Amino acid sequence: MTRAQLDKKPVDVASMFDTVAEKYDVTNDVLSLGQDRLWRRAVVKAVDAKPGERILDIAAGTGTSSEPWADQEIEVVPADFSLGMLRVGRRRRPDMAFTAADAMSLPFADESFDVVTMSFGLRNVADAETALREFLRVTKPGGRLLVCEFSQPVNKVFRTVYSNYLMRALPPVARRTSSNPDSYVYLAESIRAWPPQGELARVVEAAGWQQVGWTNLTGGIVALHHGTKR
């Protein structure tokens, strides 16, 4: 089986997601105890898209994160660099414009989108600041960024319990539900290695975004980082 390492070489990460594409959404639902649905709803609410706006949903995978906007007839482009994910997505939702795209080198013109979103994907990019600069490039002036990503629980005791769950419980559960359980060892490692909320906010600011802030979800297990383009 294929799993990525923490150096996050794009070919390794893409290959890993190719192997989990068929059962990806089901496995995530099980591993998060259904919380992923709440987190995705929080993203839609935070973006607050209006008719006529155009959204880039990068790292969209099978398109689960893009569906709420498509269902509202808001133009959304689900993009991902895993061709396996895109194939599953196109099969599920042939009405959506699935696009192959590398977050660090997007195949879109400058100032093409009103909103750029990325859910549970920035952690898998080799250079997060480079990706965030690319997001800025394709965003219209005054446009918005929303990054939903795993973070660090704010309660110290809960943070320890959560960390133990990631490394001890998550891989065994993945073996029951995923086509590539080894990939969820990488998932646990990458979450533990990811910077806390304030540190990631500084990376977003360094990439050129303004009015950067974040909102914690589920006690900080997940955080929504937001910004605007000048």
Side-chain angles (χ1 to χ4, degrees):
M1 288 296 184
T2 302
R3 59 157 290 193
Q5 304 297 324
L6 291 181
D7 58 5
K8 303 174 186 178
K9 293 179 181 177
V11 65
D12 292 342
V13 176
S15 297
M16 180 186 71
F17 279 106
D18 287 346
T19 67
V20 300
E22 292 291 343
K23 297 182 178 180
Y24 182 73
D25 294 321
V26 172
T27 302
N28 285 349
D29 201 32
V30 171
L31 292 176
S32 70
L33 306 177
Q35 291 295 301
D36 62 318
R37 302 179 195 181
L38 300 177
W39 299 332
R40 294 188 190 282
R41 282 201 288 270
V43 169
V44 173
K45 183 178 180 181
V47 168
D48 191 24
K50 302 294 191 296
E53 290 190 321
R54 189 176 188 226
I55 300 173
L56 171 61
D57 187 18
I58 188 71
T62 63
T64 304
S65 56
S66 305
E67 284 180 309
W69 295 302
D71 291 343
Q72 296 173 37
E73 298 186 349
I74 292 172
E75 184 180 3
V76 58
V77 178
D80 204 286
F81 69 168
S82 165
L83 299 182
M85 288 284 199
L86 295 174
R87 280 192 291 269
V88 173
R90 287 194 186 106
R91 218 165 48 228
R92 289 178 58 252
R93 290 294 301 255
D95 58 312
M96 296 200 300
F98 287 92
T99 303
D102 181 344
M104 295 189 295
S105 182
L106 295 172
F108 305 109
D110 295 355
E111 301 179 2
S112 298
F113 298 94
D114 299 282
V115 181
V116 174
T117 70
M118 190 178 208
S119 294
F120 307 109
L122 191 61
R123 190 187 70 260
N124 301 316
V125 175
D127 189 330
E129 186 173 332
T130 295
L132 289 162
R133 289 185 185 279
E134 269 292 273
F135 302 167
L136 189 73
R137 178 184 66 78
V138 302
T139 302
K140 298 176 183 178
R144 313 186 297 285
L145 170 75
L146 197 290
V147 174
C148 176
E149 188 54 89
F150 288 109
S151 196
Q152 291 194 8
V154 293
N155 181 281
K156 186 175 181 180
V157 174
F158 179 56
R159 186 161 61 240
T160 301
V161 172
Y162 173 64
S163 181
N164 288 336
Y165 166 76
L166 283 176
M167 295 310 295
R168 294 180 184 177
L170 191 151
V173 173
R175 277 194 287 273
R176 295 171 177 261
T177 58
S178 174
S179 53
N180 182 1
D182 287 346
S183 67
Y184 286 85
V185 175
Y186 160 79
L187 171 67
E189 291 174 347
S190 65
I191 292 172
R192 293 183 70 176
W194 191 242
Q197 292 87 326
E199 191 174 329
L200 180 58
R202 288 189 286 274
V203 176
V204 177
E205 288 176 337
W209 292 93
Q210 307 291 310
Q211 298 175 308
V212 175
W214 71 86
T215 301
N216 287 321
L217 303 177
T218 319
I221 288 178
V222 166
L224 303 182
H225 280 75
H226 57 83
T228 59
K229 183 171 180 176
R230 186 188 300 273

